[in-house]
Amino acid sequence: MSGDKGLKKEIGLKSLIIIGISSAVATAIFFSPLEMSAVAGPGSMFSWLLGIFFYIMISITYIELSQNYPEAGGPSRFSIYSHGAVTNLINAMADLVWYIFIPPIEAFATIEGLSFIFPSLLSNGVPTIEGALVGVLLMLGYIPFNYYGVKNVRKGDISIRNHQICNLYPSSFPATVSLL
């Protein structure tokens, strides 16, 4: 059916799964468990499980919709079929705002993580001039990834994401469990 719409399958299932998991978890996994456990205690583990459940339910819905309506930009267009053009406009604008704000948030999260190694990047939780320059360089570094697309950068990205999922994410959970 995807041939009818002119869409091409350029990456495989394994690559899509790794990209999806790493996009969902992102950089926050390094900071959230410790802060959540400090505030909510054991309830933070329940919130993670609840979040996983909701994420899986939404993912299943998107899988079904993408099989029935294989279009480029699917998540931004799915609401037109179920809720009409006005709701789709609101959804598409929310997606646009999301895509505009994610690169600076990820750059700041990276600077925050790097500040443990290079303390001169942050001062009282605010980037210094040096930290701001590093953030700008990071955001400029994101441009080739967005421009050339997932197909061209997936090989390097998949190895980085495999490393994150297998080595870095599990190392953040012992800190959470130790606070419980």
Side-chain angles (χ1 to χ4, degrees):
M1 186 146 182
S2 65
D4 299 338
K5 299 286 185 181
L7 297 176
K8 299 178 202 171
K9 290 185 178 180
E10 296 181 355
I11 60 176
L13 180 62
K14 179 184 174 190
S15 299
L16 285 174
I17 289 171
I18 291 172
I19 290 169
I21 289 172
S22 62
S23 298
V25 176
T27 314
I29 192 73
F30 296 119
F31 306 108
S32 295
L34 186 63
E35 293 171 9
M36 285 175 58
S37 295
V39 173
S44 67
M45 293 303 257
F46 177 71
S47 69
W48 278 98
L49 293 174
L50 195 61
I52 290 168
F53 172 76
F54 286 128
Y55 198 82
I56 288 172
M57 293 297 110
I58 292 169
S59 299
I60 290 170
T61 304
Y62 274 11
I63 289 168
E64 184 68 27
L65 287 169
S66 65
Q67 288 177 343
N68 290 327
Y69 306 104
E71 302 182 18
S76 293
R77 295 190 42 84
F78 290 154
S79 63
I80 200 166
Y81 303 120
S82 59
H83 294 83
V86 174
T87 304
N88 184 63
L89 176 65
I90 295 168
N91 187 40
M93 293 307 292
D95 285 347
L96 177 65
V97 169
W98 170 265
Y99 292 129
I100 288 172
F101 283 105
I102 286 301
I105 290 170
E106 286 294 324
F108 179 75
T110 304
I111 291 168
E112 193 174 26
L114 287 173
S115 71
F116 291 106
I117 300 168
F118 305 105
S120 62
L121 296 177
L122 285 180
S123 174
N124 297 324
V126 178
T128 61
I129 298 294
E130 184 181 344
L133 290 174
V134 170
V136 168
L137 289 175
L138 284 169
M139 287 184 42
L140 289 174
Y142 298 152
I143 292 172
F145 288 99
N146 292 323
Y147 181 76
Y148 293 111
V150 173
K151 177 186 153 192
N152 295 327
V153 297
R154 73 168 194 238
K155 291 178 183 143
D157 184 54
I158 294 303
S159 64
I160 292 168
R161 300 298 185 178
N162 272 333
H163 170 70
Q164 280 182 327
I165 290 169
C166 297
N167 300 326
L168 299 179
Y169 292 162
S171 67
S172 65
F173 287 109
T176 303
V177 174
S178 69
L179 288 174
L180 300 178

